Amino acid sequence: MRYVVTGVAIAFSLAVAISGVVELVTGWIHPWERARVLRPVPHGIGQVLVGGGLCCFFGVVAITPTGSALATLMAVGASLFLPGTALIGWSRFPDR
């Protein structure tokens, strides 16, 4: 059961990253986010970073690494997830 839930979570995080790439390439934004997103480029980059960070976090759950690999994957996941979240938040603030 753990692998099923982890597989679904990794598929979700990959979908977030892919939607960020689609947003960067085509400029398309999800309909439920169109009213709030004012800067599509930082929003797309943020989605790619958040998706990559979530993949690292869920990868830790899937493969259960030992030793320094656990700390490395968690650090990489956090260093991708936090700036991605900040970029998504910044893309929703209006200009001066």
Side-chain angles (χ1 to χ4, degrees):
M1 182 67 178
R2 179 180 108 184
Y3 295 114
V4 173
V5 172
T6 305
V8 170
I10 289 175
F12 171 75
S13 60
L14 287 175
V16 170
I18 289 170
S19 70
V21 171
V22 167
E23 184 174 343
L24 286 173
V25 172
T26 64
W28 183 81
I29 300 173
H30 292 107
W32 56 85
E33 291 182 324
R34 285 186 189 146
R36 294 186 301 243
V37 175
L38 302 173
R39 296 180 187 100
V41 173
H43 191 264
I45 294 170
Q47 280 188 326
V48 171
L49 291 176
V50 165
L54 286 176
C55 278
C56 287
F57 285 138
F58 296 136
V60 167
V61 174
I63 61 173
T64 315
T66 58
S68 65
L70 175 68
T72 303
L73 274 175
M74 293 299 280
V76 168
S79 65
L80 291 173
F81 184 79
L82 293 175
T85 305
L87 278 173
I88 289 173
W90 179 60
S91 71
R92 296 179 179 185
F93 281 108
D95 289 334
R96 293 183 194 191

